[in-house]
Amino acid sequence: MSYLQWSDELATGIGVIDSQHKRIIHYINQLEDARALNEPDLVKEVLINLTDYTLSHFAFEESLMEDAGYEAAAIHSKTHDSFRDRIRSYNDRFSTGEDVSEELSKLLNVWLIEHIANDDSSYTSCVLKNIPGINNKQKSGWLSRKLHNFFA
Ligand SMILES: [Fe+2]
């Protein structure tokens, strides 16, 4: 599978979300590297980082939507739920020694990237309106508190 590239089409316009999405893409590419090297320990390490980070990102995003009063937050969270279920089942299979990295890599390439491109942009205007300072370079109180909560 080829490397994923960040493009403006994936941008939500919310700096902190775009940075997190870039990092997820970085991890997806790292997974490809680890698979190409055929190093099980490295694949395992990247899988752990990738799933941990993606799950923290989802929780952060859900908190952001909730605090902004985004009306479709519950629907959006449901799509995260289905992804979380899949991640959990991959982790279970992985822990029994099955190599799930190719399947997971495909899922991430298709589902997650589509989700970022289509679903995540839908909450942008509500967040920008209701959480002033979210895009300030100097972290607002809201942002530093939430980052600490979800990524500490
Ligand atoms: Fe999302």
Side-chain angles (χ1 to χ4, degrees):
M1 210 165 291
S2 56
Y3 272 157
L4 288 171
Q5 296 274 356
W6 174 260
S7 75
D8 286 345
E9 281 162 41
L10 297 175
T12 60
I14 301 167
V16 65
I17 292 292
D18 291 341
S19 306
Q20 290 174 12
H21 287 159
K22 284 176 187 169
R23 178 120 168 229
I24 290 171
I25 287 174
H26 168 74
Y27 280 136
I28 295 172
N29 288 333
Q30 268 195 340
L31 181 60
E32 280 306 298
D33 282 341
R35 280 170 26 77
L37 289 169
N38 208 5
E39 296 246 15
D41 286 347
L42 190 59
V43 170
K44 183 177 178 186
E45 190 187 317
V46 177
L47 277 178
I48 290 168
N49 288 338
L50 176 59
T51 53
D52 271 5
Y53 190 81
T54 303
L55 295 178
S56 296
H57 164 69
F58 282 172
F60 177 87
E61 207 176 65
E62 285 162 14
S63 181
L64 180 70
M65 291 187 289
E66 191 186 323
D67 286 6
Y70 177 54
E71 59 181 8
I75 297 168
H76 195 125
S77 299
K78 279 223 157 69
T79 68
H80 288 175
D81 284 342
S82 81
F83 188 80
R84 277 188 280 254
D85 286 347
R86 289 204 224 179
I87 289 270
R88 252 177 235 121
S89 91
Y90 280 121
N91 275 336
D92 290 347
R93 285 166 57 198
F94 186 74
S95 63
T96 63
E98 196 179 335
D99 181 5
V100 296
S101 59
E102 186 178 357
E103 261 183 78
L104 181 61
S105 183
K106 279 185 186 152
L107 172 77
L108 292 165
N109 269 274
V110 175
W111 189 93
L112 193 57
I113 298 306
E114 263 188 33
H115 178 70
I116 290 173
N118 300 323
D119 300 336
D120 286 343
S121 53
S122 55
Y123 59 66
T124 299
S125 60
C126 178
V127 165
L128 292 178
K129 192 169 112 206
N130 295 327
I131 306 188
I134 185 83
N135 267 341
N136 286 353
K137 278 265 177 343
Q138 278 172 333
K139 289 180 175 136
S140 69
W142 187 94
L143 189 54
S144 49
R145 204 169 54 246
K146 292 291 174 172
L147 287 174
H148 179 76
N149 286 349
F150 291 103
F151 293 95

